Amino acid sequence: MSEKDFIHGGDIYTEGLLKGRALIDFSSNINPKGVPESFKKHINEGFQMIERYPDIKYRSLKKDLIYYNEKYFNLKLRSEDIVLGNGASEIIDMILSYLKTVVLPVPSFSEYGLSIEKWGGNVIYSKLNEDMDYDYLDILEKLKEADGLVMGNPNNPNGGVIEEEKFISILDYCENNGKIVVIDEAFIEMNGYDGSLITLIENYKSLFIIRALTKFFGVPGIRMGYGITRNKKVLKYIIERQNPWNINSFAELCTHYVLYDEEYIKDSIKWVEEEREYFTGELSKIPIIDKVYKTRANYCLCKLKDMKDEELYNYCLDKGVLIRRASNFKGLDNKYVRFAIKSRELNNILLNILKDIPNKKVLEK
Protein backbone atom coordinates (compact mmCIF):
# COMPACT_ATOMS: atom_id res chain seq x y z
CA MET A 1 0.00 0.00 0.00
CA SER A 2 1.41 3.38 -0.99
CA GLU A 3 1.66 6.53 1.11
CA LYS A 4 -1.25 7.95 -0.88
CA ASP A 5 -3.52 5.17 0.40
CA PHE A 6 -2.88 6.16 3.99
CA ILE A 7 -5.93 6.67 6.20
CA HIS A 8 -5.58 8.52 9.48
CA GLY A 9 -6.95 7.18 12.71
CA GLY A 10 -9.97 9.00 14.10
CA ASP A 11 -12.23 8.46 11.08
CA ILE A 12 -15.43 7.99 13.05
CA TYR A 13 -17.38 9.39 10.12
CA THR A 14 -17.16 6.73 7.39
CA GLU A 15 -18.40 3.79 9.47
CA GLY A 16 -19.90 5.79 12.32
CA LEU A 17 -21.50 9.22 12.28
CA LEU A 18 -22.40 9.23 8.58
CA LYS A 19 -24.22 5.92 9.10
CA GLY A 20 -25.91 7.01 12.31
CA ARG A 21 -23.71 4.78 14.51
CA ALA A 22 -21.90 5.69 17.71
CA LEU A 23 -18.46 4.07 17.80
CA ILE A 24 -15.89 3.79 20.58
CA ASP A 25 -12.82 5.17 18.87
CA PHE A 26 -9.61 3.31 19.70
CA SER A 27 -8.03 4.49 16.43
CA SER A 28 -7.48 8.08 17.56
CA ASN A 29 -4.88 8.86 20.24
CA ILE A 30 -6.66 11.64 22.11
CA ASN A 31 -6.75 12.21 25.86
CA PRO A 32 -10.04 10.57 27.02
CA LYS A 33 -10.43 13.23 29.71
CA GLY A 34 -11.69 15.42 26.90
CA VAL A 35 -11.69 19.18 26.60
CA PRO A 36 -10.34 20.84 29.78
CA GLU A 37 -12.97 22.57 31.91
CA SER A 38 -10.66 25.58 32.09
CA PHE A 39 -11.37 26.19 28.41
CA LYS A 40 -15.06 25.28 28.53
CA LYS A 41 -15.73 27.75 31.36
CA HIS A 42 -14.27 30.63 29.34
CA ILE A 43 -15.37 29.70 25.86
CA ASN A 44 -17.85 32.58 25.69
CA GLU A 45 -14.87 34.93 25.64
CA GLY A 46 -14.23 33.60 22.16
CA PHE A 47 -17.42 35.17 20.86
CA GLN A 48 -16.09 38.57 21.83
CA MET A 49 -12.72 37.78 20.26
CA ILE A 50 -14.16 36.80 16.87
CA GLU A 51 -15.47 40.32 16.38
CA ARG A 52 -11.92 41.44 15.70
CA TYR A 53 -8.89 40.05 13.91
CA PRO A 54 -6.37 38.17 16.04
CA ASP A 55 -3.11 39.93 16.83
CA ILE A 56 -1.16 39.24 13.64
CA LYS A 57 2.00 38.76 15.75
CA TYR A 58 0.22 36.58 18.35
CA ARG A 59 2.16 38.20 21.18
CA SER A 60 -0.04 36.98 24.05
CA LEU A 61 -0.23 33.48 22.60
CA LYS A 62 3.54 33.24 22.38
CA LYS A 63 3.84 34.43 25.98
CA ASP A 64 1.62 31.52 27.03
CA LEU A 65 3.82 29.07 25.14
CA ILE A 66 6.95 30.59 26.68
CA TYR A 67 5.47 30.17 30.17
CA TYR A 68 4.44 26.55 29.50
CA ASN A 69 7.78 25.43 28.12
CA GLU A 70 9.72 27.07 30.92
CA LYS A 71 7.52 25.53 33.63
CA TYR A 72 7.31 22.00 32.25
CA PHE A 73 10.40 21.65 30.04
CA ASN A 74 12.89 23.95 31.78
CA LEU A 75 13.56 26.05 28.70
CA LYS A 76 13.38 29.81 28.51
CA LEU A 77 12.09 30.45 25.01
CA ARG A 78 12.11 33.74 23.16
CA SER A 79 9.19 34.89 21.06
CA GLU A 80 11.37 34.74 17.95
CA ASP A 81 12.06 31.03 18.57
CA ILE A 82 8.43 30.13 17.90
CA VAL A 83 6.50 29.64 14.67
CA LEU A 84 2.77 28.97 14.95
CA GLY A 85 0.78 26.52 12.87
CA ASN A 86 -2.80 25.58 12.13
CA GLY A 87 -2.18 22.30 13.90
CA ALA A 88 1.14 20.47 13.94
CA SER A 89 0.31 19.31 10.41
CA GLU A 90 0.94 22.79 8.99
CA ILE A 91 4.33 22.97 10.70
CA ILE A 92 5.25 19.47 9.51
CA ASP A 93 4.31 20.38 5.96
CA MET A 94 6.21 23.66 5.98
CA ILE A 95 9.46 22.39 7.48
CA LEU A 96 9.56 19.32 5.21
CA SER A 97 9.05 21.54 2.16
CA TYR A 98 12.39 23.13 3.11
CA LEU A 99 14.25 19.84 2.70
CA LYS A 100 15.07 18.09 -0.58
CA THR A 101 16.24 14.68 0.63
CA VAL A 102 15.08 13.41 4.00
CA VAL A 103 16.02 10.39 6.11
CA LEU A 104 12.78 8.92 7.45
CA PRO A 105 12.80 6.07 10.00
CA VAL A 106 9.83 3.76 9.45
CA PRO A 107 7.24 2.88 10.50
CA SER A 108 6.31 6.45 11.32
CA PHE A 109 3.50 8.99 11.01
CA SER A 110 2.62 8.87 7.32
CA GLU A 111 2.12 12.62 6.98
CA TYR A 112 5.91 12.93 6.93
CA GLY A 113 6.22 10.92 3.72
CA LEU A 114 3.16 12.55 2.18
CA SER A 115 4.54 16.05 2.74
CA ILE A 116 7.97 15.18 1.36
CA GLU A 117 6.36 13.60 -1.70
CA LYS A 118 4.01 16.55 -2.21
CA TRP A 119 6.91 19.00 -2.33
CA GLY A 120 8.92 16.86 -4.74
CA GLY A 121 11.46 15.73 -2.16
CA ASN A 122 13.23 12.39 -1.89
CA VAL A 123 12.98 9.95 0.99
CA ILE A 124 15.71 7.67 2.31
CA TYR A 125 14.12 5.12 4.62
CA SER A 126 15.72 3.75 7.78
CA LYS A 127 13.92 0.74 9.20
CA LEU A 128 13.31 0.38 12.93
CA ASN A 129 14.76 -2.79 14.45
CA GLU A 130 12.76 -5.83 15.56
CA ASP A 131 11.91 -4.20 18.89
CA MET A 132 10.72 -1.05 17.06
CA ASP A 133 13.68 0.98 18.31
CA TYR A 134 15.55 3.48 16.16
CA ASP A 135 18.66 2.21 14.37
CA TYR A 136 20.90 5.17 15.18
CA LEU A 137 23.93 3.92 13.25
CA ASP A 138 21.84 3.35 10.12
CA ILE A 139 20.30 6.82 10.41
CA LEU A 140 23.73 8.41 10.76
CA GLU A 141 25.07 6.56 7.73
CA LYS A 142 22.09 7.50 5.55
CA LEU A 143 22.29 11.16 6.54
CA LYS A 144 25.43 11.39 4.40
CA GLU A 145 23.15 11.39 1.36
CA ALA A 146 20.43 13.66 2.80
CA ASP A 147 19.95 17.23 3.97
CA GLY A 148 17.61 16.44 6.82
CA LEU A 149 15.96 13.96 9.14
CA VAL A 150 12.47 13.66 10.67
CA MET A 151 11.68 11.51 13.73
CA GLY A 152 8.82 11.13 16.19
CA ASN A 153 9.48 11.45 19.92
CA PRO A 154 7.48 9.43 20.90
CA ASN A 155 7.21 7.76 17.53
CA ASN A 156 3.89 6.87 15.95
CA PRO A 157 2.69 4.05 15.70
CA ASN A 158 4.83 2.28 18.31
CA GLY A 159 5.32 4.91 21.04
CA GLY A 160 9.10 4.59 21.30
CA VAL A 161 11.19 7.55 22.46
CA ILE A 162 14.58 8.80 21.31
CA GLU A 163 17.58 7.79 23.44
CA GLU A 164 19.47 11.05 23.80
CA GLU A 165 22.85 9.42 24.43
CA LYS A 166 22.64 7.49 21.17
CA PHE A 167 21.06 10.39 19.29
CA ILE A 168 23.57 13.10 20.16
CA SER A 169 26.12 11.89 17.60
CA ILE A 170 23.47 12.31 14.91
CA LEU A 171 22.74 15.82 16.11
CA ASP A 172 26.44 16.70 16.20
CA TYR A 173 26.89 15.43 12.66
CA CYS A 174 23.93 17.44 11.39
CA GLU A 175 25.05 20.58 13.19
CA ASN A 176 28.53 20.34 11.70
CA ASN A 177 27.29 19.60 8.18
CA GLY A 178 24.40 22.03 7.77
CA LYS A 179 21.59 19.48 7.99
CA ILE A 180 18.21 19.91 9.68
CA VAL A 181 16.84 17.57 12.37
CA VAL A 182 13.04 17.67 12.75
CA ILE A 183 11.68 16.10 15.94
CA ASP A 184 7.91 15.72 16.25
CA GLU A 185 6.97 15.87 19.95
CA ALA A 186 3.19 15.97 19.54
CA PHE A 187 2.89 13.16 22.11
CA ILE A 188 5.70 14.17 24.50
CA GLU A 189 3.33 15.10 27.35
CA MET A 190 2.05 11.53 27.28
CA ASN A 191 5.50 10.49 28.51
CA GLY A 192 4.99 12.51 31.68
CA TYR A 193 6.89 15.45 30.17
CA ASP A 194 10.04 13.30 30.15
CA GLY A 195 12.39 12.68 27.24
CA SER A 196 11.95 15.93 25.34
CA LEU A 197 14.91 17.17 23.32
CA ILE A 198 13.74 20.76 23.43
CA THR A 199 16.52 22.13 25.67
CA LEU A 200 19.05 21.09 23.02
CA ILE A 201 17.92 23.95 20.76
CA GLU A 202 20.12 26.23 22.88
CA ASN A 203 23.21 24.56 21.42
CA TYR A 204 21.98 23.17 18.10
CA LYS A 205 20.64 25.43 15.37
CA SER A 206 20.06 22.30 13.31
CA LEU A 207 17.26 21.19 15.65
CA PHE A 208 13.59 21.91 14.95
CA ILE A 209 10.96 20.74 17.47
CA ILE A 210 7.26 20.34 16.63
CA ARG A 211 4.52 20.47 19.26
CA ALA A 212 0.70 20.47 19.37
CA LEU A 213 -2.20 20.87 21.80
CA THR A 214 -4.24 18.21 19.99
CA LYS A 215 -3.37 14.97 21.78
CA PHE A 216 -2.68 15.74 25.41
CA PHE A 217 -5.30 18.45 25.84
CA GLY A 218 -7.98 16.61 23.85
CA VAL A 219 -8.74 19.37 21.35
CA PRO A 220 -8.10 18.06 17.80
CA GLY A 221 -10.76 20.36 16.36
CA ILE A 222 -8.97 23.48 17.59
CA ARG A 223 -5.95 23.03 15.25
CA MET A 224 -3.13 24.52 17.28
CA GLY A 225 0.50 23.57 16.76
CA TYR A 226 3.89 25.25 16.86
CA GLY A 227 7.53 24.82 15.96
CA ILE A 228 10.57 25.75 18.05
CA THR A 229 14.07 26.43 16.77
CA ARG A 230 16.93 28.91 16.97
CA ASN A 231 17.55 28.58 13.22
CA LYS A 232 16.65 32.01 11.85
CA LYS A 233 16.92 30.90 8.24
CA VAL A 234 14.40 28.10 8.71
CA LEU A 235 12.02 30.32 10.67
CA LYS A 236 12.16 33.00 7.98
CA TYR A 237 11.48 30.41 5.27
CA ILE A 238 8.35 29.11 7.01
CA ILE A 239 6.91 32.47 8.09
CA GLU A 240 7.28 33.94 4.60
CA ARG A 241 5.15 31.10 3.19
CA GLN A 242 2.38 31.13 5.79
CA ASN A 243 -0.94 32.91 5.51
CA PRO A 244 -1.57 35.69 8.05
CA TRP A 245 -3.91 34.96 10.98
CA ASN A 246 -3.42 31.20 10.68
CA ILE A 247 -4.45 30.70 14.34
CA ASN A 248 -8.14 31.41 14.97
CA SER A 249 -9.49 33.17 18.07
CA PHE A 250 -10.82 30.01 19.73
CA ALA A 251 -7.48 28.23 19.32
CA GLU A 252 -5.75 31.21 20.92
CA LEU A 253 -8.27 31.27 23.76
CA CYS A 254 -7.97 27.53 24.32
CA THR A 255 -4.18 27.73 24.48
CA HIS A 256 -4.33 30.53 27.03
CA TYR A 257 -6.39 28.52 29.50
CA VAL A 258 -5.28 24.90 29.09
CA LEU A 259 -1.55 25.55 29.39
CA TYR A 260 -2.15 26.92 32.89
CA ASP A 261 -4.54 24.12 33.91
CA GLU A 262 -2.30 22.34 36.44
CA GLU A 263 -5.05 20.04 37.70
CA TYR A 264 -5.87 18.77 34.21
CA ILE A 265 -2.19 18.24 33.45
CA LYS A 266 -1.56 16.39 36.72
CA ASP A 267 -4.64 14.18 36.35
CA SER A 268 -3.81 13.39 32.73
CA ILE A 269 -0.27 12.27 33.56
CA LYS A 270 -1.62 10.04 36.34
CA TRP A 271 -4.21 8.56 33.95
CA VAL A 272 -1.79 7.75 31.13
CA GLU A 273 0.80 6.19 33.45
CA GLU A 274 -1.73 3.96 35.19
CA GLU A 275 -3.73 2.96 32.14
CA ARG A 276 -0.69 2.36 29.93
CA GLU A 277 0.70 -0.15 32.43
CA TYR A 278 -2.67 -1.83 32.93
CA PHE A 279 -3.76 -1.91 29.29
CA THR A 280 -0.49 -3.15 27.80
CA GLY A 281 -0.19 -5.73 30.55
CA GLU A 282 -3.65 -7.11 29.84
CA LEU A 283 -3.10 -7.07 26.08
CA SER A 284 -0.02 -9.25 26.50
CA LYS A 285 -2.24 -11.99 27.98
CA ILE A 286 -4.62 -12.15 25.00
CA PRO A 287 -4.15 -15.24 22.78
CA ILE A 288 -4.52 -13.48 19.42
CA ILE A 289 -1.75 -11.00 20.24
CA ASP A 290 1.79 -12.17 19.54
CA LYS A 291 3.63 -9.09 20.84
CA VAL A 292 2.89 -5.78 22.53
CA TYR A 293 5.63 -3.26 21.82
CA LYS A 294 6.96 -1.04 24.58
CA THR A 295 5.35 2.39 24.48
CA ARG A 296 5.79 5.74 26.21
CA ALA A 297 2.73 7.28 24.61
CA ASN A 298 -1.05 6.84 24.91
CA TYR A 299 -1.23 4.13 22.25
CA CYS A 300 0.41 0.80 21.65
CA LEU A 301 1.39 -1.22 18.62
CA CYS A 302 0.59 -4.93 18.63
CA LYS A 303 1.57 -7.80 16.38
CA LEU A 304 -1.20 -10.33 15.78
CA LYS A 305 -0.96 -14.10 15.89
CA ASP A 306 -2.72 -16.14 13.16
CA MET A 307 -4.91 -13.22 12.23
CA LYS A 308 -4.92 -10.24 9.84
CA ASP A 309 -5.53 -6.63 10.80
CA GLU A 310 -8.55 -6.41 8.48
CA GLU A 311 -10.20 -9.38 10.20
CA LEU A 312 -9.76 -7.84 13.63
CA TYR A 313 -10.86 -4.44 12.36
CA ASN A 314 -14.14 -5.83 11.00
CA TYR A 315 -14.77 -7.93 14.08
CA CYS A 316 -14.30 -4.97 16.42
CA LEU A 317 -16.36 -2.73 14.15
CA ASP A 318 -19.27 -5.15 14.44
CA LYS A 319 -18.97 -4.69 18.20
CA GLY A 320 -19.08 -0.90 17.90
CA VAL A 321 -15.34 -0.34 18.35
CA LEU A 322 -13.02 1.34 15.85
CA ILE A 323 -9.36 0.26 15.89
CA ARG A 324 -6.37 1.28 13.76
CA ARG A 325 -5.19 -1.15 11.11
CA ALA A 326 -1.45 -0.63 10.84
CA SER A 327 -0.69 -2.35 7.53
CA ASN A 328 -0.55 1.00 5.74
CA PHE A 329 2.30 2.25 7.89
CA LYS A 330 5.40 1.81 5.76
CA GLY A 331 7.47 -1.03 7.16
CA LEU A 332 4.50 -2.93 8.64
CA ASP A 333 2.23 -5.58 7.15
CA ASN A 334 -1.24 -6.92 7.88
CA LYS A 335 -0.16 -8.53 11.16
CA TYR A 336 -0.12 -5.21 13.02
CA VAL A 337 -2.74 -3.06 14.74
CA ARG A 338 -2.58 0.00 16.95
CA PHE A 339 -4.81 0.67 19.95
CA ALA A 340 -5.32 3.99 21.70
CA ILE A 341 -5.19 3.91 25.49
CA LYS A 342 -8.38 5.25 27.02
CA SER A 343 -10.24 5.20 30.34
CA ARG A 344 -10.33 2.00 32.42
CA GLU A 345 -13.98 1.48 31.50
CA LEU A 346 -13.39 1.78 27.77
CA ASN A 347 -10.14 -0.16 27.89
CA ASN A 348 -11.97 -3.05 29.52
CA ILE A 349 -14.61 -3.02 26.80
CA LEU A 350 -11.96 -3.55 24.15
CA LEU A 351 -10.04 -6.07 26.25
CA ASN A 352 -13.17 -8.16 26.76
CA ILE A 353 -13.89 -8.13 23.03
CA LEU A 354 -10.36 -9.29 22.28
CA LYS A 355 -10.39 -11.97 24.99
CA ASP A 356 -13.59 -13.42 23.58
CA ILE A 357 -12.28 -13.84 20.05
CA PRO A 358 -10.92 -17.44 20.29
CA ASN A 359 -14.46 -18.66 21.03
CA LYS A 360 -16.00 -16.97 18.00
CA LYS A 361 -16.71 -19.21 15.05
CA VAL A 362 -16.64 -16.24 12.70
CA LEU A 363 -12.85 -16.09 13.01
CA GLU A 364 -12.16 -19.80 12.68
CA LYS A 365 -10.17 -20.84 9.63
Side-chain angles (χ1 to χ4, degrees):
M1 187 172 291
S2 72
E3 296 276 8
K4 291 182 179 179
D5 296 319
F6 174 74
I7 301 173
H8 285 287
D11 182 13
I12 59 171
Y13 300 94
T14 302
E15 298 295 339
L17 296 178
L18 295 179
K19 294 183 178 181
R21 298 179 63 193
L23 297 174
I24 301 174
D25 186 9
F26 274 85
S27 73
S28 180
N29 311 314
I30 305 298
N31 189 336
K33 291 178 64 63
V35 179
E37 288 296 325
S38 57
F39 175 42
K40 289 181 180 180
K41 287 191 300 185
H42 295 91
I43 198 166
N44 284 340
E45 294 177 23
F47 295 103
Q48 300 173 4
M49 296 172 67
I50 62 175
E51 294 178 350
R52 58 183 183 271
Y53 284 101
D55 174 10
I56 200 166
K57 295 183 179 180
Y58 292 104
R59 282 162 283 202
S60 294
L61 177 54
K62 288 186 176 182
K63 284 182 180 179
D64 293 332
L65 294 172
I66 289 169
Y67 157 81
Y68 177 72
N69 280 278
E70 183 173 11
K71 179 175 178 64
Y72 292 100
F73 296 99
N74 197 32
L75 175 66
K76 180 66 175 178
L77 285 174
R78 305 169 304 186
S79 178
E80 58 266 31
D81 299 331
I82 303 169
V83 58
L84 302 172
N86 189 250
S89 57
E90 182 188 1
I91 301 298
I92 290 169
D93 193 52
M94 287 287 95
I95 184 60
L96 293 181
S97 75
Y98 180 80
L99 304 172
K100 300 304 180 185
T101 302
V102 184
V103 175
L104 176 57
V106 290
S108 63
F109 183 43
S110 293
E111 279 296 327
Y112 306 149
L114 288 171
S115 288
I116 296 166
E117 180 181 288
K118 182 179 78 173
W119 294 107
N122 300 308
V123 181
I124 301 175
Y125 294 106
S126 174
K127 192 173 181 179
L128 273 61
N129 64 29
E130 290 185 0
D131 291 325
M132 294 294 167
D133 293 325
Y134 288 117
D135 187 337
Y136 297 93
L137 293 177
D138 184 62
I139 291 171
L140 184 58
E141 181 64 26
K142 288 177 175 175
L143 270 166
K144 295 176 182 178
E145 306 298 325
D147 55 4
L149 162 70
V150 58
M151 302 170 69
N153 185 43
N155 190 45
N156 183 6
N158 59 300
V161 295
I162 293 172
E163 297 179 62
E164 186 174 330
E165 289 184 2
K166 295 181 180 179
F167 179 71
I168 204 72
S169 61
I170 292 173
L171 200 51
D172 285 335
Y173 175 78
C174 291
E175 185 75 11
N176 294 330
N177 290 276
K179 302 176 189 290
I180 300 298
V181 178
V182 180
I183 304 297
D184 183 355
E185 292 193 344
F187 290 98
I188 195 65
E189 287 91 348
M190 298 297 183
N191 192 30
Y193 289 82
D194 290 333
S196 174
L197 302 178
I198 193 169
T199 56
L200 296 177
I201 72 162
E202 294 181 308
N203 298 315
Y204 293 91
K205 287 186 170 61
S206 57
L207 186 59
F208 188 98
I209 303 286
I210 298 172
R211 294 277 185 76
L213 266 66
T214 300
K215 313 299 183 181
F216 187 75
F217 292 101
V219 287
I222 284 294
R223 310 312 305 142
M224 173 61 207
Y226 58 104
I228 300 170
T229 186
R230 294 266 164 93
N231 191 315
K232 293 181 180 179
K233 183 179 179 181
V234 170
L235 286 168
K236 183 174 184 291
Y237 172 89
I238 294 175
I239 292 169
E240 286 179 348
R241 286 159 178 79
Q242 288 183 308
N243 292 321
W245 303 297
N246 60 330
I247 307 298
N248 68 68
S249 298
F250 283 97
E252 186 172 5
L253 181 70
C254 176
T255 303
H256 176 66
Y257 285 107
V258 303
L259 295 187
Y260 295 85
D261 195 336
E262 294 184 11
E263 182 178 357
Y264 183 93
I265 291 170
K266 182 180 178 180
D267 289 348
S268 294
I269 292 173
K270 184 175 184 291
W271 150 72
V272 72
E273 289 178 348
E274 291 178 353
E275 288 307 309
R276 181 169 54 219
E277 181 178 1
Y278 170 76
F279 189 56
T280 56
E282 292 299 307
L283 283 172
S284 66
K285 303 173 186 177
I286 293 175
I288 65 161
I289 294 179
D290 185 40
K291 185 171 184 176
V292 180
Y293 292 91
K294 184 179 179 181
T295 178
R296 298 306 306 167
N298 61 325
Y299 49 85
C300 59
L301 180 70
C302 297
K303 186 176 183 181
L304 301 175
K305 184 188 302 179
D306 300 323
M307 193 175 189
K308 295 180 180 179
D309 64 341
E310 190 71 21
E311 290 179 285
L312 184 58
Y313 172 85
N314 289 327
Y315 181 80
C316 290
L317 192 60
D318 287 340
K319 301 294 183 182
V321 171
L322 188 65
I323 66 169
R324 178 69 165 85
R325 294 161 289 183
S327 55
N328 51 9
F329 281 97
K330 194 171 188 68
L332 299 182
D333 58 25
N334 60 12
K335 303 298 292 182
Y336 294 87
V337 292
R338 190 193 69 196
F339 302 121
I341 299 172
K342 296 194 172 293
S343 66
R344 181 64 58 93
E345 179 184 5
L346 294 179
N347 289 337
N348 281 333
I349 289 174
L350 177 58
L351 288 168
N352 288 331
I353 289 172
L354 298 176
K355 290 174 183 177
D356 199 35
I357 285 178
N359 300 319
K360 297 300 177 180
K361 188 175 181 179
V362 68
L363 293 176
E364 291 179 358
K365 292 191 180 289

